[in-house]
Amino acid sequence: MIFGPGAKALMASVAFAASLVGPMASSALARTNYAVVVGVTEYPHLPRNTWLVGPRNDALLVRDYLLNQSPVPFDPANVAILADDVDGGREPTLASIVETLDDMAQKAEPGDFLYLQFSGHGFQQTAADPSSELDGLDEIFLPKDTGRWVDRTQGMPNVLVDDMVGDALDRIREKGAFVWVVFDSCHSGTATRAAPGDDVQERKIDPESVGMPPEVLYEAATSRDVMAREAPVRIEPTGAASTRKGGMVAFFAAQTNETTPEMPLPKGAEGATKYGLFTHTIFSRLAENPSVTYRQLAEGVLQHYTSINRTSTTPLFEGDLDAPVFGMEMEEFIPQWPVRVADSGVTISGGLLNGLVPGTRLALLEKAGDTIDKAIGYLQVDRADNFTSRLVMASPPVQDEADEVDIALTEDELEATSLTVKTLGDIPAGAYARMVEATFEFTLTVARPVASDAHPERVAMVNELLEALAEDQNRPMRIALVAPGEPADLRLAVMAEASLDDAGLGASTLPTLWFLPESGELSLEEGRRPPSITMESDDTAAIGDAIAQYLARIYRATNLARIGQGSDYGPQDVEITFTLRRQGTGEEVPIETTNLPVGLPGDRVHLRATNNTGSAVDINVLYIGSDYSIGFMGKERLQPSATMDDEFIEFTEDSYGKELIVAVASEVVPLKATLDLSYLGQPGVRAMTRGPLPESIADLIGEMDSGMATRAGKSLSDRQNKQRGSVTIYPVQTAPRP
C-alpha cells in the first residue's frame, strides 16, 4: 500500500494469533512514529462557563492507546502531550502548539508517521483573505491563551487559524511523512437545547462569550450553499501534482455549522469519565479491531452515531481513506488477550474500549492458535476500565433443550463437564482469553420530558403513556425510561413551537411533543426540524398510538445501526455502491458512507451491487427518513459473481433532513427463500420464545424486531461455514430545491 507519491511502502503483517499486538515487519520498525496530542480544557481569558472537562481526558486516552494498545510502536519520547495537569505535558498555548508542530516538521523523515489531535473549542472569525473561504470566515482552534475578539480585522488573539494548520501539515508532508489529524472540536452550531442532558456539554462557544457581535457569524451563515459541505479546516489532500508529499487523512468531529459533545463514556458505565464523543468512538472502534482502513474506521464511527441517535452532528472524513490505519496491513483480527494470573486476581489487557463490558464471556485457550472448540474453560468480565478487565469463572455456552435459551450451570454441573479449568487456580501459564460472542443492546433508552409550567397536564399525560408502553409486553420493542437529563438515546420535550428561539411569526402556540435526538437539540430550520405531535386534542388513545409508532420507528432505526457494528463481510466481499443522479442534468454524485451528498426532489438513487463471494447473497435496501420512518425499497438474490443495477429511490418533497440508506447483505442459507425485510416497515409481531444464540446478521435483525430480548449476543464462532452478513449505512441530506 503506497500512502502517497514519493512515500515509501509501509506494508507489514501483524499476527494477532499470538497476542493483541503481534510482531511487525522490519519496514514498519524502521520508520519513526510521532504524535502531538492537544487537549484544551481551561480558557483563562474567556468566561468560566466556556471551560471544558473532556479534552484533558481525551489526551490521556489517546496517549494510553498509542503507548499500550497501538499496533505500531510509539516511543514515549515521541508522543508530545499539550494539556494541563498531565505528567510530562506542556501547556496548550498557541506558542507551544506552533513550536511543537515546527519541531515535527524538522524531525520528520520519508516514511515516518504523525498522529495529530486537537481537542477543545473550535470557532470562526472573519477570514484574513475572505476570497479563500466559501462564507468569508476562517475556521480556528482555540488554544489555552486565546483572548477575546477585538474587531473584524484583528479577530481573536492567539488562535490557531486553519491556514496555519494547513501550512504546518504541508511542511511535515513535504518531508515524506504520513499525517493523520483528528479535530474533536465544534464550530458555530446554533440549535436550541430543548431537552437537557445533565452530564453532556457541547464543545460550543457563543459569539457573546468572546465579545463578537453575533451578526459576524449569522451574515456568513446566510451565504452558505446547502450543496457545499465545507470541512472545518482546509487541508490539501494528496494529489497527482505532488510527487514528494506524504499521505494524509483528516477526521473532523463536526461540520462548520455543527457542535460536538463531551459526556461520561461509556454511556451508563458506573463512574464513567467525561470524554469527547468523537475521540472515544474512534479509539473504541480501533480497540475492538485495529485491522481496518481509515474508511472502515470512519464507517464504524458513523454507525455508532446512528446507533445512539446522534443525528445533530455529522463528522467529516477526508484524504487517503483507503490506506490502513497507522499504515499497517494486518491479518484478520482475533479478539484475544494473554491471561495474567496474580495474587490480586486474573486480568487481561483488554477493557471497555475493546467491547469487554461486565458479563462478556470469553473462552480460555491453552494456546493462542487454538480454536474455540478446544477451550479448556470459560471466563467472564467482572469489572473493566478502558484497557483492563478483571475476570471470574463462567459457564460454557449451554442451551436449555426445552426453551433453547442460553443458561448458566451450577457449580456441580460445571464440575461434571469435560473442561479442565474449573477454578481460577487451574489456569495454566501462557493461556489466552478470547471473546466468544458480541453483545448488542436492543433497549431504547428514553428520557422523560422535563416538567413544564406552561403545559403540566400534557407532560403528565406523556409520562403516563410512556409508562404504559414500557410495561406492554406485547409490543415489538423494549424501552427503558430515565429521568430528564439522564443518558438516553431519545429525549422528549413538551413545548409550543412559538416558545423556541428560532420561531417565526405565526408559529403555533399549541402544546407539542417533540422527539429529540440524543443531544436534545431542537431547531425549526428546514431539514433540522425533529418529528413532533401536536397535543391539541385530549384523545389520549390517539396520542398514545402516535407515540408508540414513533418509538417503534426509532427503535428499529437505531438497532439496525447497532447490528451493523457486528458485520462480518469485508468491503470487497459484497461491493455495494449508491449513486445520486440529478434530475434534469443527469449529473452523477457518488454516495459513500463517509460523505453526505445533498438529495433534491426529483433526484434518484441508483444501486449497483456485486457478489464477489463463493455463495449466494441476499440484498435488502431500506430507507430511514428524517422522521424515523422505515421504507422498504426492494430485495434481490445475487449468485456468485453476479451484479445487480437498479434505481431504488426517488427523493420527494415529503420531508427534508438527514436520512439514511441501509443496505443489508446476508449469506444465503440453502433451501431458504430470499431474505425479505419488508416487515421492518410495519409493526412487528412479538415472538413468545427466544431461539438459539443468533449467529448471523439476519438472525440478529429478527431477534431485534421480535421485541423479546433487551440484549442479544452474536456468536464469534470460528467455524468455517457460519452464515455471514453486513449492514451498511449511507447518509444523505435531503433539501428543497433552491
Side-chain angles (χ1 to χ4, degrees), residues 505-522:
L505 295 176
S508 172
T509 59
L510 296 173
T512 302
L513 173 64
W514 301 88
F515 294 80
L516 306 180
E518 169 267 345
S519 65
E521 291 185 0
L522 199 169

Side-chain angles (χ1 to χ4, degrees), residues 300-518:
V301 171
L302 292 172
Q303 282 193 322
H304 180 68
Y305 275 37
T306 302
S307 74
I308 63 171
N309 201 27
R310 166 55 64 162
T311 60
S312 59
T313 303
T314 312
L316 284 153
F317 309 94
E318 297 187 342
D320 305 326
L321 296 177
D322 292 316
V325 173
F326 294 121
M328 298 298 301
E329 294 281 8
M330 304 177 189
E331 296 178 355
E332 183 180 358
F333 175 71
I334 300 175
Q336 64 180 20
W337 301 266
V339 177
R340 299 189 296 252
V341 181
D343 293 340
S344 57
V346 175
T347 60
I348 55 175
S349 58
L352 296 173
L353 262 69
N354 304 86
L356 296 174
V357 298
T360 302
R361 188 159 39 197
L362 303 101
L364 184 66
L365 303 173
E366 194 168 7
K367 300 187 300 292
D370 287 347
T371 54
I372 290 179
D373 62 334
K374 295 181 180 178
I376 56 177
Y378 284 85
L379 304 167
Q380 72 178 28
V381 177
D382 181 43
R383 298 196 304 275
D385 57 25
N386 282 333
F387 297 113
T388 307
S389 294
R390 183 175 296 276
L391 307 179
V392 296
M393 293 304 302
S395 296
V398 177
Q399 290 181 348
D400 182 280
E401 295 181 359
D403 330 357
E404 297 181 308
V405 175
D406 193 19
I407 61 171
L409 301 183
T410 65
E411 289 186 11
D412 290 341
E413 289 171 330
L414 180 61
E415 187 63 32
T417 67
S418 61
L419 299 173
T420 59
V421 175
K422 300 180 175 66
T423 69
L424 296 178
D426 298 333
I427 298 176
Y432 279 76
R434 183 184 302 168
M435 286 181 67
V436 294
E437 64 185 49
T439 58
F440 299 86
E441 181 61 62
F442 285 156
T443 302
L444 181 71
T445 306
V446 181
R448 298 173 184 268
V450 70
S452 168
D453 292 335
H455 310 289
E457 72 289 344
R458 296 304 190 215
V459 171
M461 176 193 293
V462 170
N463 279 320
E464 290 176 4
L465 291 169
L466 288 174
E467 289 166 3
L469 288 170
E471 295 171 0
D472 189 345
Q473 298 296 306
N474 294 312
R475 290 193 178 272
M477 63 179 173
R478 285 291 173 265
I479 63 173
L481 302 179
V482 297
E486 292 291 315
D489 304 311
L490 177 71
R491 301 189 186 280
L492 302 182
V494 177
M495 59 180 61
E497 181 180 299
S499 66
L500 298 172
D501 293 343
D502 55 350
L505 295 176
S508 172
T509 59
L510 296 173
T512 302
L513 173 64
W514 301 88
F515 294 80
L516 306 180
E518 169 267 345

Side-chain angles (χ1 to χ4, degrees), residues 652-708:
T652 68
E653 298 179 348
D654 294 341
S655 66
Y656 301 117
K658 188 187 296 185
E659 307 194 317
L660 304 171
I661 303 171
V662 181
V664 179
S666 178
E667 189 172 13
V668 171
V669 175
L671 304 180
K672 274 200 172 184
T674 302
L675 178 65
D676 186 345
L677 299 182
S678 59
Y679 68 89
L680 290 177
Q682 306 164 7
V685 179
R686 178 174 180 265
M688 299 308 294
T689 61
R690 178 179 173 182
L693 182 68
E695 292 200 344
S696 69
I697 291 293
D699 288 345
L700 275 169
I701 292 174
E703 184 87 356
M704 172 267 290
D705 204 60
S706 74
M708 183 62 184

Side-chain angles (χ1 to χ4, degrees), residues 90-132:
R90 301 177 62 189
E91 281 195 311
T93 63
L94 178 62
S96 294
I97 296 171
V98 171
E99 180 182 339
T100 305
L101 292 177
D102 287 344
D103 184 49
M104 289 296 110
Q106 291 292 325
K107 292 179 177 178
E109 298 288 344
D112 286 349
F113 178 92
L114 171 64
Y115 177 82
L116 176 59
Q117 167 136 353
F118 294 94
S119 287
H121 279 306
F123 201 56
Q124 294 174 299
Q125 65 180 20
T126 308
D129 178 10
S131 65
S132 67

